[in-house]
Every structure is written in C-alpha cells, then in structure tokens.
C-alpha cells in the first residue's frame, strides 16, 4: 500500500484562556508534498513547530486552516482537515502510523500484546498477530523476557523500540516519526534504518522530525527546515545509498 500526502497552507494556532485570551502559533502556512515511497525529514530547533505538524497530520490537533490531502489506493483522496472522526479512526487503524518518543498504552497490557493489538485491529487472527508481533520484537532486539511484562517499567530506549515495532509491524501507507532514534544505541539505529529502507521500497510514505542529522541524511529523500512555525527551506531529491 502506498500514499501521497499534500499540505496546502496549513496553520495551527492555540487559544490560551487565562486572565485574557492569548493566541499561540504552532505552525503557519505549511505547504509541501510527499510522494509515495518518499521520506521527508523536518529539522529545526525545539519549539519551532515540528511536532505540531506531525500531530496535525495525525489529527491529534485539528488544523485552524488549510488542507491536508491524503491519497491512497484504498481510500482515494481525503482531506484530513475535514475528515470525520470515524474516517480518522479507520485510517489510524489501517493506514497511518505514528511513532512518538513517548509510550502511551493501556495499563496492564504486555509488550507483545501492545504490538499484537496493531495487527488484531487490522483483522489478523490471534495466532497470526502473535507470530508477526514476536518476529518484530525479536528484530528490534527487545529481550524476550520483556515481551510478557508491562512496558511502564521499560527504559526510554526500550519504550521507543516498542513504539517503533507497534507502528512498523502494520507496514502503514503513511508513517509519521517523531525523533525515531532518540534513546537508541547504534545497533538499534542500524536496524531502524534497515526497516525504513524496507518500508520505502514497499511504498510507505514517511514524514519525520529529527535532531540526529547524520542519521536523517541516510534515510530521507527531501529535507525541510522550520523556524518560528514556518518552513524556511527545502532540499529535494537527496542522494542516499540503499545499501548503507
């Protein structure tokens, strides 16, 4: 499955109601296109608005204005800015993945069950979900003794591995990545890079934000830089070696 993502003049502001109402700008007039199988990387200082873009695309935030056209071969074209909650829930279950630096799961759910749930909601049988989920946790080098434990006891790196496994096991059409290598050792970074290249070759479209610029340059096809809520520059068609 593959997808195309187009943002047209997307703006997100926040209203703060204290003694007087204040308007804060998260991102402003954001426009870009990411074609099927491409990976766009976004850089910028903390507070520049990078995470706001990802959360708006995932519809954690509803954009204040603009259009976000998502097109896949199963859904056709949908404006995520106007999509219903039911449409968004369907896309999250079946086509759009999100990897955060922070793990948010239901209490008393094991690591393996967390990954299995991603597949069960797509219609996999319990046996298939357990097999695929186990294989993914193994590939991410998460120790097997942790699979049946609760992730609230995990280290930061272990939680990030679980987040990545949970999103990537679905092989989504669109994958949004918030600092996908934070807290990871070099071995784990190498596997994440391998998985990203595999997903790209299978047609997955990706948008990610990075502070690790060295890693980013090995996986992205185009770069965008953010400053004070706006995209200030782009570099497209970067050369990268699939065999790195």
């Amino acid at each position: 499955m593959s997808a195309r993502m187009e943002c047209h003049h997307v703006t997100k502001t926040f209203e703060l109601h204290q003694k007087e109402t204040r308007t804060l700008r998260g991102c402003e007039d954001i426009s870009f296109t990411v074609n099927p199988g491409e990976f766009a990387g976004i850089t910028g200082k903390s507070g520049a608005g990078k995470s706001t873009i990802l959360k708006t695309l995932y519809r954690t935030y509803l954009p204040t204005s603009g259009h976000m056209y998502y097109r896949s071969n199963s859904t056709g074209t949908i404006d995520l800015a106007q999509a219903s909650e039911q449409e968004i829930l369907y896309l999250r279950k079946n086509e759009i993945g999100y990897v955060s630096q922070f793990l948010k799961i239901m209490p008393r759910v094991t690591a393996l069950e967390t990954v299995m749930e991603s597949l069960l909601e797509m219609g996999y049988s319990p046996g298939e979900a357990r097999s695929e989920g186990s294989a993914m946790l193994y590939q991410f080098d998460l120790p097997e003794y942790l699979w049946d434990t609760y992730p609230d006891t995990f280290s930061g790196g272990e939680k990030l591995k679980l987040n990545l496994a949970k999103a990537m096991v679905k092989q989504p059409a669109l994958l949004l990545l918030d600092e996908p290598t934070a807290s990871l050792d070099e071995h784990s970074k190498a596997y994440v890079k391998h998985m990203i290249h595999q997903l790209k070759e299978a047609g997955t479209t990706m948008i990610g934000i990075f502070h690790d610029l060295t890693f980013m340059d090995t996986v992205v096809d185009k770069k965008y830089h953010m400053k004070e809520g706006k995209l200030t520059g782009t570099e497209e068609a970067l050369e990268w070696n699939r065999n790195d």
Side-chain angles (χ1 to χ4, degrees):
M1 185 183 298
S2 61
R4 176 184 173 92
M5 190 72 237
E6 296 180 25
C7 286
H8 293 271
H9 308 292
V10 173
T11 294
K12 175 59 185 174
T13 59
F14 301 91
E15 299 289 333
L16 294 184
H17 301 283
Q18 299 174 337
K19 291 183 179 180
E20 58 183 33
T21 301
R22 296 177 55 204
T23 299
L24 297 181
R25 179 184 62 189
C27 62
E28 181 179 0
D29 197 27
I30 302 299
S31 297
F32 62 81
T33 297
V34 189
N35 293 309
E38 284 187 336
F39 193 163
I42 304 175
T43 64
K45 294 181 179 179
S46 296
K50 304 184 302 298
S51 292
T52 299
I53 292 178
L54 288 195
K55 290 178 180 179
T56 303
L57 288 171
Y58 197 58
R59 267 286 294 273
T60 303
Y61 298 151
L62 187 66
T64 306
S65 62
H67 300 280
M68 306 182 298
Y69 295 113
Y70 170 84
R71 185 175 70 205
S72 77
N73 49 16
S74 66
T75 64
T77 300
I78 297 176
D79 184 357
L80 300 181
Q82 304 293 330
S84 68
E85 291 299 319
Q86 290 78 11
E87 288 173 317
I88 294 297
L89 287 174
Y90 171 85
L91 290 172
R92 288 177 178 177
K93 286 182 178 181
N94 295 281
E95 298 198 16
I96 301 178
Y98 185 94
V99 176
S100 169
Q101 299 177 58
F102 309 103
L103 183 64
K104 295 181 181 179
I105 59 170
M106 295 293 290
R108 303 189 68 79
V109 176
T110 69
L112 179 55
E113 289 169 341
T114 297
V115 179
M116 287 176 59
E117 183 61 30
S118 293
L119 297 171
L120 291 171
E121 64 187 14
M122 294 179 69
Y124 282 65
S125 71
E128 291 171 330
R130 177 171 291 276
S131 176
E132 294 290 330
S134 298
M136 184 60 69
L137 290 177
Y138 177 80
Q139 292 295 333
F140 268 104
D141 201 26
L142 194 70
E144 193 167 349
Y145 69 84
L146 293 177
W147 295 4
D148 292 320
T149 60
Y150 303 134
D152 56 358
T153 63
F154 287 10
S155 69
E158 290 165 346
K159 288 178 179 179
L160 181 54
K161 288 180 182 180
L162 182 57
N163 261 348
L164 287 161
K166 184 175 184 291
M168 289 184 170
V169 74
K170 301 173 76 165
Q171 297 189 356
L174 174 65
L175 183 58
L176 308 172
L177 297 139
D178 186 350
E179 292 291 344
T181 59
S183 306
L184 293 184
D185 57 32
E186 291 304 314
H187 174 76
S188 298
K189 286 182 181 181
Y191 182 69
V192 171
K193 182 168 74 171
H194 171 72
M195 280 296 299
I196 285 173
H197 286 320
Q198 279 198 331
L199 289 172
K200 286 174 64 174
E201 289 172 358
T204 295
T205 302
M206 286 175 268
I207 302 169
I209 61 178
F210 294 89
H211 283 111
D212 186 343
L213 303 185
T214 300
F215 180 88
M216 182 186 72
D217 284 343
T218 68
V219 295
V220 302
D221 303 290
K222 57 179 68 171
K223 291 191 290 190
Y224 297 88
H225 185 72
M226 285 201 74
K227 183 177 181 180
E228 297 178 352
K230 296 183 178 182
L231 292 180
T232 61
T234 69
E235 181 181 351
E236 298 191 10
L238 295 174
E239 295 295 329
W240 50 272
N241 187 344
R242 294 175 184 269
N243 298 315
D244 278 353

